[in-house]
Amino acid sequence: MNEKVEALKGKLIVSCQALENEPLHSSFIMGRMALAAKEGGAMGIRANTKEDIKEIQANVDLPIIGIVKRNYEGSSVYITPTMKEVDELMEVGPEIIAVDATGALRPGNVTLDDFFYSIKEKYPNQLLMADCSTIDEAVHADELGFDFIGTTMVGYTDQSKNDKIEANDFEILRVIHSKVKNRIIAEGNINTPEKIKRVIELGAFCVVVGSAITRPQLITKNFVDAL
């Protein structure tokens, strides 16, 4: 594992993403957002699409978790769902590629196991992160051999819709940490400095924060709702 990735231990990764329907949708803006995150002390970036990643790489020299969000008819998987998205990401070479690691079938009824082995066969040296939603999914991804186990999808799937990563003092994170051997990247609803500190104390390798930093429409709404 390279030095840039090792330097993520105990540090913050900022997710710089804006979808087509969001006000900040622009590779140029995401590049500047990443620069702002670096100036604030972030040690890594999570980003969507090869275009955004290329622009971010031109602005900061930080390790990147790369994804491509794309919807396919007949499948609920949208985070790096097929080899097409992996190939696109490999054009810009993010240090880590994250993929949906839930139990859902991918487009073409491809299982996670088959997809993982296909990626490893084509790109054997690429670091991979599993975006999981349950303890069982995390354990399975760990057994498959994912380099990083993420809590990204907790609460976002049918099988985890009643869960929250921070519920009961991060119990899901505690259990995952006790059951997996590979490194955990805590992500999902970690929206305060106190929560970031806590997940690191509980054994997460590093932590990803997105909306609380890089989605001003949601940050604004939190303040407005308080009124």
Side-chain angles (χ1 to χ4, degrees):
M1 206 167 291
N2 67 43
E3 291 182 3
K4 289 170 69 175
V5 175
E6 288 290 352
L8 291 171
K9 181 175 174 59
K11 303 298 183 181
L12 170 66
I13 296 171
V14 172
S15 183
C16 298
Q17 299 181 45
L19 300 178
E20 291 182 0
N21 62 335
E22 296 183 271
L24 298 190
H25 177 68
S26 158
S27 294
F28 172 79
I29 293 174
M30 290 303 103
R32 296 306 175 122
M33 188 73 81
L35 181 58
K38 179 183 178 180
E39 289 186 2
M43 292 296 289
I45 303 295
R46 179 165 164 133
N48 173 37
T49 76
K50 68 178 183 180
E51 293 80 10
D52 282 12
I53 292 170
K54 184 176 181 180
E55 181 67 23
I56 288 167
Q57 290 168 332
N59 281 270
V60 301
D61 183 26
L62 295 176
I64 294 173
I65 300 173
I67 63 171
V68 176
K69 288 182 175 177
R70 187 168 288 149
N71 294 311
Y72 285 84
E73 188 173 350
S75 174
S76 62
V77 175
Y78 63 90
I79 297 177
T80 321
T82 75
M83 190 63 75
K84 172 181 168 64
E85 289 74 38
V86 175
D87 290 339
E88 290 175 12
L89 290 168
M90 291 302 295
E91 292 178 29
V92 290
E95 282 72 15
I96 302 166
I97 289 178
V99 306
D100 179 303
T102 66
L105 289 174
R106 317 186 86 81
N109 291 325
V110 175
T111 65
L112 173 64
D113 295 39
D114 287 344
F115 186 54
F116 175 82
Y117 294 133
S118 295
I119 298 173
K120 278 300 182 184
E121 182 178 4
K122 192 169 186 179
Y123 303 112
N125 297 319
Q126 176 62 46
L127 296 175
L128 298 175
M129 173 178 173
D131 285 351
C132 304
S133 72
T134 68
I135 294 165
D136 287 345
E137 290 168 358
V139 171
H140 182 62
D142 186 63
E143 291 171 345
L144 278 177
F146 276 91
D147 302 283
F148 298 96
I149 309 302
T151 55
T152 319
M153 301 296 286
V154 174
Y156 293 98
T157 61
D158 287 344
Q159 62 269 31
S160 70
K161 60 186 176 183
N162 295 320
D163 297 325
K164 284 189 175 182
I165 182 166
E166 87 281 14
N168 193 23
D169 194 26
F170 299 96
E171 181 65 21
I172 287 177
L173 181 65
R174 290 167 178 268
V175 176
I176 291 173
H177 185 259
S178 72
K179 291 178 176 288
V180 305
K181 64 180 183 298
N182 287 300
R183 296 172 174 182
I184 298 170
I185 297 180
E187 181 175 4
N189 205 41
I190 301 170
N191 50 16
T192 68
E194 292 75 22
K195 290 180 182 179
I196 292 171
K197 184 178 179 182
R198 188 60 177 149
V199 298
I200 295 299
E201 289 173 349
L202 293 174
F205 176 66
C206 58
V207 56
V208 176
V209 176
S211 297
I213 297 174
T214 57
R215 297 180 78 187
Q217 71 274 26
L218 296 184
I219 299 167
T220 302
K221 186 175 185 299
N222 286 336
F223 283 95
V224 171
D225 286 349
L227 298 176

